[in-house]
Amino acid sequence: MRATLQRVTRATCTVEGALTGQTGPGLLVLLGVAPGDTDATAHAMAAKIAKLRIFGDEQGRMNRSVQDIGGGILSVSQFTLYADTRGGNRPSFTAAAPPDHARALYHTFNAALRALGLPVGEGVFGAHMVLDLTNDGPVTLTLDLD
């Protein structure tokens, strides 16, 4: 499982002009699922993200997590995180999980974040989504549990 995190002051997701998910201060999480990922992988990724200290404290040091600041998450499925761009000019996505497997683990991941007390807005799995965000920092990290 792979995630790209962007620290945001706000983020929204719309599909065909309709708002599907949003967050105020917190994280935009782009989540990619690999074929070998399991429910345990989804829970481990959620726990890591919830506790990752990437928000500033009183001295401006990254010592607070999204849980610590009372922030939220906008979670978006993103199979393109598994793009292989080494050969030619067209990415290959064979390293990404099949849609049914990825969809189930995306929902497991979101449920795990909620179980940790985080408000979670969602994108729509497999849809063409438009994301609008205000990056804070900017701070962008990639986590890989493969």
Side-chain angles (χ1 to χ4, degrees):
M1 191 166 278
R2 187 173 289 164
T4 296
L5 315 176
Q6 293 185 306
R7 193 174 73 184
V8 297
T9 57
R10 52 159 289 292
T12 62
C13 178
T14 57
V15 175
E16 296 180 9
L19 180 68
T20 66
Q22 64 184 340
T23 189
L27 296 171
L28 169 62
V29 177
L30 305 174
L31 185 75
V33 178
D37 291 337
T38 64
D39 284 355
T41 311
H43 284 275
M45 181 65 85
K48 178 76 172 182
I49 289 170
K51 295 178 175 121
L52 195 63
R53 297 184 310 166
I54 59 172
F55 292 88
D57 61 14
E58 295 78 17
Q59 290 78 38
R61 291 201 165 110
M62 286 194 223
N63 279 325
R64 293 193 174 163
S65 69
V66 68
Q67 286 179 316
D68 294 336
I69 68 156
I73 293 191
L74 175 59
S75 174
V76 176
S77 62
Q78 187 80 41
F79 77 95
T80 59
L81 291 179
Y82 279 100
D84 182 351
T85 58
R86 293 175 289 179
N89 293 318
R90 183 174 181 194
S92 168
F93 301 106
T94 59
D100 289 342
H101 182 66
R103 180 182 293 108
L105 289 182
Y106 170 65
H107 291 300
T108 298
F109 170 77
N110 292 336
L113 288 170
R114 287 185 183 103
L116 293 167
L118 292 166
V120 179
E122 295 185 21
V124 176
F125 188 93
H128 180 94
M129 295 172 271
V130 175
L131 304 179
D132 184 41
L133 64 127
T134 303
N135 225 324
D136 181 20
V139 174
T140 302
L141 302 171
T142 300
L143 303 178
D144 204 334
L145 294 185
D146 291 338

